[in-house]
Amino acid sequence: MQRRILAVLLTFTFLASASFAADKPKTPKPTHANVAYGPHDKTKLDFWEAKGKGPRPLLVYIHGGGWIGGDKGRVSSNIQAYLDKGISYASINYRLTGEASLPVPVHDAARAIQFIRSKAKEWNIDKKKIALTGGSAGACTSMWLLCHDDLADPKSKDPVARESTRVIAAAVGGGQTSIDPKVIEPWLGPNVLKHNMIHKAVGGKSMQDVMDNYEKHEALYKEFSPYNHLTADDPPLLMTYGNNMKLPSENASHGIHHPVYGVKMKEKADKVGTECHLLIPGVSKSKQYSNSNEFLMDKLLGKDS
């Protein structure tokens, strides 16, 4: 009898797993895979080309992982939904802080945007319609690029460096709007500083090491906090977070993805007058958009797309 029950359970588990696998959207193969946009092993990207009349808008995914880990293979399973709408898609890798601390991970992502623009004719991309998405550190990088002044160098001998880093929108999840420990500890409590992202971002051995030498790291912390770059002329932003609003934060993971990051960014955006949507279940919603996909497709699909 026990063997029969076990056999039935195994059969049910197999069928359930098969059903789940069948229901899960398959990620299509990239049109171009592991394209080098820089000289380092991690400076590579994947690109999916959408079909359509004229140059296509593009969504770029920047993976999370605290700038410590992660990979472009984490890409969302809904790529096909964007391709079906005529929106091309890219997913990028970048060097991690174990190899090179800030500014490298974020500047790599900026370089990837410039490289993609340099391929606009070959890959049929509309340079004026590029948006960003990502979670956690990928969200932080996306917001930094959204809000930061253009890094293009018109006088550079490198044609890629002459391209713009500006984008038209970003939709992000669980992102850090500041990484400055002297800002986020008052916002979130001491547990946020226990996350390795904060001290490793600037090459610190530990949080204590960083705080003992704060003046040495202060400029990097301030520069790579998107909150500090938000101004009235910045493109639209949509942020999503979980709804655990407890303060102080419960642990390092809760702190590093806390909804208060979004609350602070939204407050500043409303004050300066730039478009910003904050989605926190049961806490904050947008009058226009119920999720990131709606927002991104609206921003990327214009009348001429």
Side-chain angles (χ1 to χ4, degrees):
M1 178 63 72
Q2 288 181 338
R3 289 183 179 179
R4 285 185 180 180
I5 293 172
L6 180 60
V8 170
L9 288 173
L10 289 172
T11 301
F12 175 79
T13 302
F14 172 78
L15 291 174
S17 299
S19 176
F20 176 78
D23 293 338
K24 187 178 180 180
K26 290 184 179 180
T27 301
K29 290 184 178 180
T31 310
H32 304 286
N34 290 317
V35 179
Y37 66 84
H40 306 282
D41 182 60
K42 281 286 186 179
T43 51
K44 292 179 181 178
L45 61 84
D46 296 334
F47 174 77
W48 291 259
E49 184 174 348
K51 304 302 179 183
K53 184 180 178 181
R56 307 317 306 152
L58 173 71
L59 178 61
V60 180
Y61 171 79
I62 305 175
H63 72 77
W67 296 321
I68 302 167
D71 185 83
K72 59 183 171 62
R74 284 184 177 181
V75 68
S76 171
S77 60
N78 65 356
I79 293 176
Q80 191 61 53
Y82 285 94
L83 297 178
D84 290 344
K85 291 287 186 179
I87 298 169
S88 290
Y89 203 103
S91 181
I92 71 168
N93 271 348
Y94 49 86
R95 283 170 287 173
L96 304 173
T97 52
E99 179 181 353
S101 55
L102 289 173
V104 170
V106 175
H107 281 181
D108 277 356
R111 172 77 179 187
I113 301 302
Q114 292 175 305
F115 174 84
I116 289 169
R117 274 201 166 94
S118 75
K119 305 287 281 186
K121 186 174 182 180
E122 182 181 344
W123 290 354
N124 197 35
I125 296 167
D126 187 343
K127 287 186 178 185
K128 296 180 180 179
K129 291 185 178 180
I130 298 177
L132 304 176
T133 191
S136 192
C140 184
T141 298
S142 295
M143 289 188 283
W144 187 87
L145 286 165
L146 185 83
C147 298
H148 200 275
D149 291 342
D150 201 335
L151 298 182
D153 180 1
K155 297 180 180 180
S156 176
K157 294 180 180 179
D158 177 5
V160 173
R162 295 197 294 266
E163 296 286 351
S164 175
T165 59
R166 295 290 278 171
V167 295
I168 64 166
V172 300
Q176 303 79 30
T177 54
S178 175
I179 60 166
D180 188 340
K182 291 200 172 182
V183 172
I184 61 178
E185 185 176 16
W187 283 2
L188 305 167
N191 281 331
V192 68
L193 301 188
K194 295 178 181 178
H195 199 284
N196 289 337
M197 176 182 180
I198 303 303
H199 72 265
K200 288 189 174 183
V202 295
K205 295 179 181 178
S206 67
M207 202 63 235
Q208 189 62 53
D209 169 54
V210 165
M211 295 310 288
D212 288 345
N213 300 279
Y214 178 77
E215 292 77 13
K216 175 183 174 182
H217 306 296
E218 182 178 8
L220 280 176
Y221 278 132
K222 292 185 182 302
E223 167 62 14
F224 291 98
S225 293
Y227 182 90
N228 295 337
H229 297 286
L230 180 64
T231 53
D233 60 345
D234 288 329
L237 170 65
L238 183 144
M239 302 173 289
T240 62
Y241 292 87
N243 65 352
N244 185 351
M245 302 296 295
K246 185 177 179 180
L247 288 172
S249 55
E250 297 177 333
N251 50 52
S253 181
H254 179 219
I256 207 69
H257 304 114
H258 203 286
V260 164
Y261 280 120
V263 172
K264 295 294 186 181
M265 194 72 158
K266 172 69 172 164
E267 288 175 351
K268 184 173 182 181
D270 289 347
K271 185 176 180 179
V272 302
T274 191
E275 182 181 345
C276 183
H277 307 269
L278 177 61
L279 304 182
I280 304 173
V283 178
S284 177
K285 61 182 181 179
S286 166
K287 293 180 179 179
Q288 294 172 261
Y289 307 104
S290 61
N291 56 58
S292 295
N293 291 339
E294 286 183 7
F295 170 84
L296 288 167
M297 288 187 182
D298 182 47
K299 301 306 179 185
L300 286 169
L301 294 173
K303 293 180 179 178
D304 56 343
S305 293

